Amino acid sequence: MKFFWFLCFIGILFSSCQEENQVRTIDNLSQNLTSGVWEISFIDKNGRIQTEEFQGMSFVFYPNGKSEAYRTTQLIDQGNWRAYIDSGKIKLELTFSILEGLNGEWNQDFIRESQINLRRNTQNSLLVFEKI
């Protein structure tokens, strides 16, 4: 019986790791971004946690590189996004007009279907998008 529970544990461990160990590609990032509605579940810019400023906002990223930010159902900002590789790192560039704090180049740190973690090179910043 112990062997059965051990096999169950190993099965659960492998199934949970598979989603988190996706191959990092621009296509994965682009497909994830454009496949749903996202919210910012955590943002730390230079040691200052700013998550509350983005509560109640949702983000939509379109395949044509356009993006929109909503607070509930009201459109509050529009912008652009692009994914690319620079020096072997997958990057996401965001450009908004009102939400300027999100603007710039972010390095993909972690990706899975429901979460994308991004970091800035020159700053101690972390941006976490989670699918709603």
Side-chain angles (χ1 to χ4, degrees):
M1 187 67 166
K2 288 181 184 179
F3 184 71
F4 171 76
W5 289 114
F6 175 75
L7 288 178
C8 288
F9 173 76
I10 296 298
I12 291 169
L13 181 65
F14 277 111
S15 66
S16 66
C17 291
Q18 284 177 338
E19 184 183 11
E20 294 182 2
N21 290 330
Q22 286 185 359
V23 176
R24 294 182 186 189
T25 66
I26 291 175
D27 288 341
N28 281 351
L29 179 58
S30 298
Q31 288 172 3
N32 279 1
L33 275 176
T34 59
S35 69
V37 179
W38 297 86
E39 66 182 355
I40 294 176
S41 62
F42 184 80
I43 183 167
D44 180 345
K45 290 183 62 187
N46 299 321
R48 189 172 151 249
I49 297 174
Q50 300 177 338
T51 309
E52 283 187 25
E53 295 174 28
F54 295 94
Q55 279 186 329
M57 287 188 192
S58 58
F59 296 82
V60 180
F61 298 92
Y62 297 101
N64 65 359
K66 301 292 182 190
S67 55
E68 295 176 337
Y70 293 86
R71 187 172 300 277
T72 59
T73 58
Q74 181 181 356
L75 178 66
I76 58 170
D77 203 356
Q78 294 178 309
N80 297 294
W81 70 274
R82 76 179 178 111
Y84 62 98
I85 294 179
D86 183 26
S87 301
K89 294 183 180 180
I90 297 173
K91 296 189 179 247
L92 176 66
E93 182 177 12
L94 299 173
T95 308
F96 286 97
S97 10
I98 297 171
L99 302 173
E100 294 176 352
L102 300 177
N103 289 351
E105 297 175 346
W106 295 86
N107 296 321
Q108 178 183 301
D109 183 47
F110 173 85
I111 185 170
R112 64 179 177 192
E113 191 175 319
S114 61
Q115 182 178 339
I116 300 171
N117 292 11
L118 305 163
R119 292 193 180 274
R120 285 225 171 116
N121 255 358
T122 57
Q123 302 168 352
N124 186 21
S125 299
L126 172 64
L127 171 60
V128 179
F129 280 108
E130 286 196 22
K131 194 175 283 187
I132 298 174

